[in-house]
Amino acid sequence: MTEVNKHPLDTSHIVYTVGTSEAYVHARNQAEALDLDDSGRRRAAIRMAATALSGEQESGYLTPEGHAMNVTAHLTDFSDSIQQLHELRHQHAHHKEKLPALRKISEFNHAVKDMVDANPSLTFDEVLSFILSMNQSINGNNNTSYNFEEEVKQVLVGMSHEIAFEQMLGYMPDIEYKEATIEDDLAGTDMFVSMNGSPMVSIDIKASLVRAQHAKDKALYLGYNPDRIIWSRLSNRDFNGFFRIPQDVAEERAVALHDDLVRAINSETVAVEQVA
């Protein structure tokens, strides 16, 4: 009989594998978990066990299950950090105070993006359902001051537009690019682009024209360059439920996006020359 391959986002399988692993039992008895209450110890053990289990690799890359474990490992910190960020915003806290929470959120975002990049057939709803189901398994029905599902949707929407942005860059022979690191992300950069060998310019990608315009207005008010903030030129309907857009759409929208990038690169070049 032919064995049926498990879906890479089989929540029940991930929960069972983590909960019955030696890594989980060991983690519950580690010193850093012993001072926590039972719920805290369980969550810490899930995080540590999923981290250990994600390390099983094929040819130096994470397996599909490894990526699911990696996302699971970051999930407790993500949910806690979203809660902390809401409280800090309510307190009008300084950006520096928000950085620890923002870093954990960025780490989660990168883990999810790595999983999606490695599994191109995953749909938006499959990834959303997996994250919500795993959060339910880890945290239960804890009452929070925010809508967890909406927070995750925002993460996934932003991520899909970044992935599609990269697709469109593939139709621009004069443009080179480099993906942002977590540190870059914390500084407001989603991508670095260069045109015909120019210095790399930081680009902040927005998923809607309204969000882009709001961010541009804020940048102008604060004295920053608004041209490096760019709308992806896409609507959520363009994705047809996936994280990537059809190639014909990518090729078509790349024309207008290229003009935006030229404007961003030229504006940064002018700014550097004025400072010099």
Side-chain angles (χ1 to χ4, degrees), residues 36-37 57 85 87 121 127 137 139 188 198 215 226 257 270:
L36 303 173
D37 60 21
Q57 300 180 350
L85 195 58
E87 293 170 356
S121 63
V127 175
S137 298
N139 295 316
S198 72
L257 187 64
V270 170

Side-chain angles (χ1 to χ4, degrees), residues 29-229:
N29 295 311
Q30 284 199 353
E32 70 175 83
L34 292 178
D35 293 334
L36 303 173
D37 60 21
D38 188 63
S39 174
R41 287 179 65 190
R42 176 176 171 275
R43 294 171 81 247
I46 290 171
R47 182 172 62 252
M48 289 186 279
T51 299
L53 292 168
S54 71
E56 299 176 7
Q57 300 180 350
E58 293 177 351
S59 304
Y61 296 94
L62 290 181
T63 64
E65 182 173 311
H67 279 290
M69 289 291 183
N70 189 38
V71 171
T72 300
H74 285 89
L75 190 50
T76 54
D77 282 339
F78 172 75
S79 58
D80 289 346
S81 296
I82 289 291
Q83 177 71 36
Q84 292 166 11
L85 195 58
H86 273 261
E87 293 170 356
L88 288 168
R89 284 171 175 163
H90 182 71
Q91 298 164 10
H92 303 289
H94 190 274
H95 179 72
K96 188 175 182 180
E97 297 176 73
K98 302 174 188 174
L99 277 176
L102 289 170
R103 182 180 299 279
K104 292 299 182 183
I105 292 169
S106 180
E107 289 172 355
F108 174 78
N109 294 354
H110 278 253
V112 177
K113 186 173 185 296
D114 288 344
M115 180 176 73
V116 170
D117 281 340
N119 298 275
S121 63
L122 290 176
T123 68
F124 187 99
D125 286 345
E126 284 173 335
V127 175
L128 175 63
S129 178
F130 173 72
I131 294 172
L132 296 181
S133 297
M134 286 306 307
N135 184 65
Q136 172 74 22
S137 298
I138 295 170
N139 295 316
N141 292 315
N142 292 341
N143 292 324
T144 61
S145 62
Y146 66 94
N147 185 322
F148 182 79
E149 181 172 348
E150 285 304 312
E151 294 288 346
V152 176
K153 282 182 179 178
Q154 285 186 33
V155 167
L156 298 183
V157 167
M159 183 181 306
S160 63
H161 283 257
E162 290 175 21
I163 292 171
F165 191 95
E166 189 172 341
Q167 280 182 265
M168 290 183 281
L169 292 179
Y171 289 95
M172 306 177 195
D174 58 341
I175 297 289
E176 295 181 359
Y177 69 92
K178 181 178 69 173
E179 293 187 26
T181 65
I182 289 173
E183 293 300 324
D184 298 327
D185 187 28
L186 293 174
T189 298
D190 294 315
M191 190 85 66
F192 290 98
V193 297
S194 166
M195 181 175 64
N196 294 323
S198 72
M200 286 285 179
V201 171
S202 163
I203 299 297
D204 184 3
I205 304 163
K206 298 303 181 186
S208 74
L209 179 58
V210 172
R211 285 179 178 270
Q213 191 57 56
H214 176 75
K216 285 174 178 287
D217 293 342
K218 184 176 180 180
L220 272 173
Y221 177 76
L222 296 173
Y224 298 118
N225 178 15
D227 288 332
R228 56 170 290 274
I229 300 165

